[in-house]
Amino acid sequence: MDNKTLYTIIVHSENFAGLLNQVTAVFTRRQINIESLNVSASSIKGVHKYTITAWTDKDTIEKVVKQIEKKIDVIQAHYFTDDEIYFHEIALYKVSTPEFQENKEASKVIRRHNARIVEVNPVFAIVEKNGTSDEITSLYGELRALNCVLQFVRSGRVAITTSCFERVNEFLATREARYNESKREGEGQA
């Protein structure tokens, strides 16, 4: 990955069918592999947030974000490096209960990684870990070395900016103020 950085792209959009396909097509056309993708409702009613990670260079990510912002239903899109955001992932590890209980090191590994056991039955236990990608991968490696992992799944990245304000909130407030001003001017002309 020569001169490539892991960028996190945060896209705010209206919630319309087909937009996810349009956004991912921007990456496909440029032959950029999406590392993780998380889509959810945001704190703003009617606005969804896409959190996408991809390895690329600064010039390319700038072009990608500009193309995404041109989509009709996209409100705003921004890209960030890891030092500009706070991010986490969540992972679930299904481990064999008998093998887990037989190995004294297993519970030490769980505690050392600040993970927690959320379900236990005679056949399997579910371990939950949230943290960075490296922390999640590290726990997986240690549990796998203990030969007790039955299944493993992880989420995409969730992220928020470390700045004191949310750009999309500021943008929407400005847009609404302009709309209300033009509406008052229109009423004055009538």
Side-chain angles (χ1 to χ4, degrees):
M1 292 190 200
D2 304 328
N3 298 326
K4 291 189 178 182
T5 302
L6 182 65
Y7 286 98
T8 300
I9 301 93
I10 296 178
V11 179
H12 286 91
S13 75
E14 297 181 46
N15 185 22
F16 290 110
L19 185 59
L20 178 59
N21 187 43
Q22 292 176 40
V23 170
T24 58
V26 172
F27 290 87
T28 304
R29 281 193 296 273
R30 293 192 171 272
Q31 297 184 345
I32 299 170
N33 187 45
I34 293 174
E35 293 294 319
S36 72
L37 171 65
N38 185 318
V39 181
S40 65
S42 75
S43 60
I44 304 164
K45 186 179 179 186
V47 175
H48 272 59
K49 182 176 183 177
Y50 298 62
T51 306
I52 306 164
T53 60
W55 288 95
T56 189
D57 58 75
K58 186 169 174 111
D59 183 52
T60 303
I61 201 65
E62 287 173 350
K63 291 175 183 172
V64 165
V65 168
K66 283 180 185 175
Q67 285 182 304
I68 291 171
E69 280 196 316
K70 289 179 182 177
K71 304 297 176 194
I72 291 173
D73 299 320
V74 169
I75 297 167
Q76 272 192 330
H78 299 282
Y79 66 90
F80 303 92
T81 57
D82 284 355
D83 60 334
E84 297 172 309
I85 57 173
Y86 179 80
F87 58 91
H88 260 194
E89 294 178 16
I90 188 168
L92 298 175
Y93 312 77
K94 183 194 275 185
V95 296
S96 167
T97 299
E99 285 153 4
F100 190 76
Q101 290 176 333
E102 286 174 17
N103 192 325
K104 304 282 186 223
E105 186 65 23
S107 61
K108 292 177 186 175
V109 168
I110 300 299
R111 284 193 303 275
R112 189 169 53 247
H113 283 275
N114 293 319
R116 64 188 191 116
I117 298 171
V118 295
E119 170 75 28
V120 178
N121 66 46
V123 178
F124 64 84
I126 305 288
V127 176
E128 177 186 83
K129 167 74 178 145
N130 68 51
T132 65
S133 183
D134 291 342
E135 293 167 345
I136 286 169
T137 302
S138 177
L139 176 56
Y140 175 71
E142 289 191 46
L143 289 174
R144 193 161 167 224
L146 298 174
N147 290 322
C148 63
V149 177
L150 300 172
Q151 290 182 34
F152 168 68
V153 66
R154 70 190 315 154
S155 71
R157 177 179 280 194
V158 292
I160 55 176
T161 64
T162 56
S163 67
C164 295
F165 63 93
E166 179 70 66
R167 292 176 181 172
V168 73
N169 290 345
E170 200 172 81
F171 173 80
L172 290 171
T174 302
R175 187 171 83 173
E176 186 172 342
R178 285 186 193 145
Y179 171 77
N180 289 335
E181 185 179 311
S182 67
K183 189 175 172 184
R184 282 191 299 273
E185 289 173 0
E187 290 171 355
Q189 292 175 359

